[in-house]
Amino acid sequence: FPTRRSSDLPMKYRYKIILIFLAAVFKLSSICGQTDTATLKISYKAAFKSCVERPQLFDDMILLVGKHSSSFYSATNITQQQTLDSVVQTTGGNLSQVLAASSKMRASSKLGQHYVVLKNYPIANKLTYTTELVGNTAFKYEEAMPTLEWELLDGDSIIAEYSCNKARTAFRGRVWTVWYTPDLTISEGPWKLCGLPGLILKAVSDNAEYTFECTGIQKGHGEKIAIAKKNFINTNAADLQKLEVLTATDPQEAIIRLKGVRGSGNIKKRKLTPLLIEDLSKK
């Protein structure tokens, strides 16, 4: 049968089709771009090694899950950052004293990590990653939401009073073993992990260099899921990772690159081997 072109339709029907199309576009953009608030707040105890030569450190982290997006961040970092900000203000940004304060925190075995992972933010199927390096220089990049190929395994566990199933995946140089609960049908988890038919309550990387374990789940109290208001430097994951390695091994050179000036004090290079949560040279 011959098809009717849109130009052959009566004017009132053409307007109706255009209005329906615009309404659909508006609805989609509203869903993807609207401010989201937390309906669930999941607490995790994180353990990690920043460098081979250093002892294991611990962090208290939070996963906020909303209707459309999520945010994963360090609760410890918020408290410790307030302390470091105070040191910066009272010393005029003296690098030696800031690093000394950071070392003191590290000696306590609890250290807040600076990164924040927002999934399906600012729009669906996008991930936003932010962090801060020396000198409170804030960075941000966006990438596609990860597509993880999960292998479902035999074995179960009880975590935070929830029955969990076991699964495993390889992602950017690490193999992750996780336990997720089908009782909470949210395809979410700590850090960038997601994609299972249930909330991930525990995740352990190869050699247990990075672990996340749920310590409690409660209803959200309307916490906003949004990016912090900072002067971010837009970058990409690969370039940011190079700067993170430089910050760990040569903080003096890092401050020169980030701030364009040499920090006060004589900060020597460190003979350290950084342990990265992901290796972007690998799948």
Side-chain angles (χ1 to χ4, degrees), residues 15 49 51 54 63 74 77 86 93 116 138-139 143 149 151 157-158 169 180 205 220 232 238 266 270 273 277:
Y15 280 140
K49 289 193 69 175
C51 298
R54 286 180 170 170
L63 174 64
S74 166
N77 179 58
S86 177
V116 178
F139 290 87
E143 63 182 11
E149 296 182 1
E151 177 188 3
S157 183
I158 302 293
T169 191
Y180 66 96
S205 73
F232 288 103
N266 183 23
R270 300 165 173 169
T273 309
I277 194 170

Side-chain angles (χ1 to χ4, degrees), residues 18-268:
I18 292 172
L19 289 173
I20 292 173
F21 173 76
L22 290 176
V25 171
F26 177 77
K27 182 177 180 181
L28 179 61
S29 62
S30 297
I31 291 173
C32 294
Q34 69 185 23
T35 300
D36 206 357
T37 55
T39 56
L40 274 182
K41 182 178 181 180
I42 303 101
S43 300
Y44 291 88
K45 179 179 180 180
F48 63 99
K49 289 193 69 175
S50 60
C51 298
V52 172
E53 297 82 2
R54 286 180 170 170
Q56 190 175 46
L57 298 170
F58 301 93
D59 194 0
D60 295 323
M61 308 195 76
I62 300 293
L63 174 64
L64 298 178
V65 178
K67 294 181 179 179
H68 313 295
S69 55
S70 69
S71 176
F72 185 69
Y73 63 92
S74 166
T76 304
N77 179 58
I78 294 175
T79 301
Q80 293 184 337
Q81 192 59 48
Q82 292 172 348
T83 301
L84 288 178
D85 288 344
S86 177
V87 173
V88 170
Q89 290 178 358
T90 56
T91 64
N94 183 283
L95 180 60
S96 299
Q97 294 191 44
V98 172
L99 290 174
S102 179
S103 296
K104 185 177 180 180
M105 292 177 183
R106 187 178 291 107
S108 70
S109 79
K110 181 174 282 191
L111 185 67
Q113 298 166 95
H114 293 278
Y115 71 81
V116 178
V117 177
L118 297 107
K119 300 192 192 83
N120 290 306
Y121 185 95
I123 60 175
N125 300 317
K126 284 289 186 180
L127 180 149
T128 299
Y129 184 99
T130 72
T131 192
E132 289 187 9
L133 301 182
V134 291
N136 289 341
T137 308
F139 290 87
K140 177 185 72 172
Y141 69 78
E142 292 181 13
E143 63 182 11
M145 281 285 290
T147 302
L148 305 178
E149 296 182 1
W150 290 101
E151 177 188 3
L152 303 184
L153 305 174
D154 292 332
D156 52 27
S157 183
I158 302 293
I159 300 170
E161 301 182 357
Y162 285 87
S163 298
C164 294
N165 297 333
K166 192 175 181 181
R168 179 170 56 205
T169 191
F171 179 60
R172 291 181 176 173
R174 287 192 180 275
V175 175
W176 289 89
T177 302
V178 307
W179 288 260
Y180 66 96
T181 176
D183 295 336
L184 295 172
T185 55
I186 303 169
S187 185
E188 266 291 356
W191 186 55
K192 295 182 180 181
L193 301 174
C194 58
L196 282 164
L199 179 65
I200 297 172
L201 297 186
K202 184 176 180 180
V204 181
S205 73
D206 43 354
N207 299 322
E209 290 170 342
Y210 282 85
T211 67
F212 304 98
E213 183 166 0
C214 176
T215 57
I217 301 174
Q218 57 185 299
K219 289 184 178 179
H221 296 288
E223 297 93 338
K224 288 186 178 180
I225 298 175
I227 194 168
K229 294 182 179 179
K230 296 181 180 180
N231 294 322
F232 288 103
I233 297 174
N234 291 315
T235 185
N236 57 66
D239 288 345
L240 178 60
Q241 196 166 89
K242 292 175 184 177
L243 276 175
E244 288 175 328
V245 171
L246 184 65
T247 300
T249 58
D250 193 349
Q252 187 74 271
E253 179 62 24
I255 201 72
I256 291 173
R257 293 194 188 183
L258 294 176
K259 296 296 185 180
V261 296
R262 180 175 293 276
S264 58
N266 183 23
I267 310 300
K268 297 181 179 180

